[in-house]
């Protein structure tokens, strides 16, 4: 088993399995301490710079509140607040901010941008979302599954929807890393990115895990322990919304589709959700849905990550 030490968190693959399980254990401890009113100021005097080139509800609030609860401070910076918006290089911005803060979280578009930023930074860099990956969300997802199933290894997870987006890529990586079985069901032309899939397929093969793609969502969700979906049109794809709706209608997560899953399946969605599009209200507001626990766990999982990287 790989025993590397985290420097940055740009993808889930920046973690070893031991680190992943350690972060989940720590997140559960921090969650319980918060509920019991036990102070845990592990980052007293530390500052996190938060760069937002994409807007957010959960990412901003969870990181900002998380730093406060850890005894530190978070600075919100959108692109208009930075010289990045006036042409300063990514590398120069990274070098300057590294002299002011103890860690940097970035939510941006191209994944290459955060890789360039991290290569120049001298403090830990966390990916709060790029077009290709969303590792902090999946860290919270895996924590949520573990809380309900009391295990990750051997759990059957299925993603239904757009296979070529940041959530799917990070879920694939996270599932393989955690020892889960993973299935993806998407319409033709929306399969997962080739590089992500090939790497995950090789890793899953070495470990004897299942990683499969299905065009038929009903076949994919058969006996699923966890069903995950996401919006059909992500930020920046608004002009494609009508065309995407046509492609994805057969992939709606509804009562009929979920009838093929295990009786105690969990439903996850990173939110925001569009009820009656990618998921029906009956499912997302039903007894199998854990989407709000999942959203809360962004706070706890990210606190564990911040403590690990900046403590």
């Amino acid at each position: 088993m790989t025993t590397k030490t985290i420097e940055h968190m740009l993808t889930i693959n920046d973690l070893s399995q031991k680190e992943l399980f350690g972060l989940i254990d720590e997140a559960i401890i921090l969650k319980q301490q918060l509920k019991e009113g036990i102070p845990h100021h592990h980052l007293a005097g530390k500052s996190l710079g938060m760069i937002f080139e994409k807007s957010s509800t959960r990412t901003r609030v969870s990181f900002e509140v998380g730093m406060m609860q850890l005894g530190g401070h978070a600075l919100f910076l959108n692109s208009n607040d930075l010289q990045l918006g006036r042409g300063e290089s990514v590398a120069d911005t990274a070098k300057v901010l590294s002299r002011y803060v103890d860690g940097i979280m970035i939510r941006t578009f191209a994944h290459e941008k955060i890789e360039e930023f991290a290569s120049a930074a001298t403090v830990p860099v966390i990916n709060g979302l790029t077009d290709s990956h969303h590792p902090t969300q999946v860290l919270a997802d895996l924590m949520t599954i573990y809380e309900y199933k009391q295990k990750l290894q051997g759990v059957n997870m299925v993603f239904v929807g757009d296979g070529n987006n940041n959530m799917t890529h990070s879920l694939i990586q996270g599932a393989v890393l955690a020892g889960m079985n993973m299935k993806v069901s998407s319409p033709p032309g929306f399969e997962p990115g080739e590089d992500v899939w090939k790497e995950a397929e090789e890793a899953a093969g070495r470990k004897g895990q299942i990683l499969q793609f299905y065009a038929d969502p009903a076949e994919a969700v058969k006996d699923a322990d966890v069903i995950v979906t996401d919006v059909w049109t992500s930020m920046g794809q608004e002009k494609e919304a009508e065309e995407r709706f046509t492609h994805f209608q057969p992939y709606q997560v509804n009562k009929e589709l979920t009838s093929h899953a295990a009786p105690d399946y969990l439903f996850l969605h990173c939110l925001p959700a569009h009820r009656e599009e990618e998921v029906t209200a009956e499912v997302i507001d039903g007894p199998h849905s854990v989407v709000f626990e999942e959203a809360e766990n962004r706070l706890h999982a990210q606190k564990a990550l911040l403590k690990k990287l900046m403590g």
Side-chain angles (χ1 to χ4, degrees):
M1 182 185 296
T2 305
T3 55
K4 58 191 175 183
T5 301
I6 313 171
E7 295 178 356
H8 303 299
M9 173 70 153
L10 306 186
T11 75
I12 284 286
N13 282 346
D14 286 332
L15 304 175
S16 67
Q17 188 184 77
K18 182 178 179 180
E19 287 171 332
L20 172 63
F21 292 162
L23 286 172
I24 291 172
D25 288 342
E26 179 66 19
I28 291 170
I29 291 170
L30 292 170
K31 184 176 183 177
Q32 188 61 31
Q33 288 178 339
L34 181 64
K35 292 185 185 302
E36 294 177 4
I38 300 172
H40 40 274
H41 295 164
H42 302 291
L43 298 183
K46 298 289 182 75
S47 295
L48 175 73
M50 305 190 305
I51 299 174
F52 284 86
E53 294 190 322
K54 280 189 174 184
S55 59
S56 168
T57 299
R58 280 151 290 276
T59 300
R60 177 178 178 179
V61 175
S62 57
F63 270 107
E64 198 161 325
V65 172
M67 279 299 294
M68 180 191 69
Q69 292 177 357
L70 290 168
H73 179 69
L75 298 89
F76 173 79
L77 303 165
N78 66 34
S79 54
N80 294 327
D81 297 325
L82 299 170
Q83 295 300 324
L84 273 171
R86 299 180 59 215
E88 183 172 42
S89 73
V90 171
D92 284 357
T93 301
K95 291 173 184 176
V96 170
L97 289 181
S98 294
R99 292 171 181 257
Y100 297 148
V101 297
D102 303 286
I104 299 165
M105 187 283 298
I106 307 177
R107 186 176 171 93
T108 188
F109 292 88
H111 192 75
E112 292 75 17
K113 190 169 191 176
I114 200 169
E115 290 179 326
E116 182 183 356
F117 195 101
S119 68
T122 54
V123 296
V125 175
I126 298 171
N127 179 1
L129 176 142
T130 64
D131 288 343
S132 302
H133 296 277
H134 199 354
T136 54
Q137 175 65 55
V138 171
L139 189 60
D141 293 354
L142 296 178
M143 174 188 173
T144 307
I145 296 166
Y146 182 80
E147 284 184 309
Y148 280 87
K149 298 295 184 182
Q150 291 301 297
K151 65 176 184 176
L152 290 173
Q153 292 173 302
V155 171
N156 300 315
M157 179 162 64
V158 180
F159 180 89
V160 180
D162 187 354
N164 192 22
N165 78 357
N166 46 28
M167 275 304 304
T168 321
H169 292 162
S170 288
L171 282 166
I172 291 167
Q173 292 180 339
V176 172
L177 183 62
M180 302 169 72
N181 299 314
M182 181 77 190
K183 298 176 182 178
V184 177
S185 183
S186 305
F190 296 92
E191 298 88 352
E194 186 176 348
D195 291 346
V196 170
W197 187 264
K198 184 177 180 181
E199 183 181 19
E201 194 171 39
E202 291 173 357
R206 290 193 299 269
K207 300 177 186 179
Q209 295 167 236
I210 295 170
L211 178 64
Q212 294 177 325
F213 179 85
Y214 291 82
D216 181 357
E219 188 178 355
V221 303
K222 185 179 180 182
D223 300 323
D225 299 309
V226 182
I227 299 174
V228 192
T229 193
D230 193 7
V231 294
W232 291 340
T233 305
S234 297
M235 200 177 301
Q237 299 173 334
E238 288 79 6
K239 292 181 180 179
E240 306 169 22
E242 188 173 337
E243 180 186 355
R244 283 175 166 268
F245 187 86
T246 302
H247 286 294
F248 285 106
Q249 265 191 311
Y251 295 81
Q252 183 188 71
V253 179
N254 51 39
K255 186 177 181 179
E256 181 183 354
L257 183 64
T258 58
S259 69
H260 301 282
D264 61 345
Y265 83 92
L266 301 176
F267 174 74
L268 274 68
H269 190 305
C270 65
L271 303 181
H274 297 156
R275 284 166 175 79
E276 309 311 324
E277 288 189 17
E278 73 272 8
V279 60
T280 59
E282 186 176 23
V283 171
I284 195 171
D285 299 319
H288 295 274
S289 176
V290 292
V291 297
F292 295 108
E293 191 81 16
E294 175 190 6
E296 178 191 336
N297 282 342
R298 287 290 301 276
L299 172 65
H300 310 301
Q302 287 164 188
K303 282 166 65 177
L305 179 63
L306 290 165
K307 179 187 173 187
K308 176 75 173 176
L309 290 175
M310 296 169 56

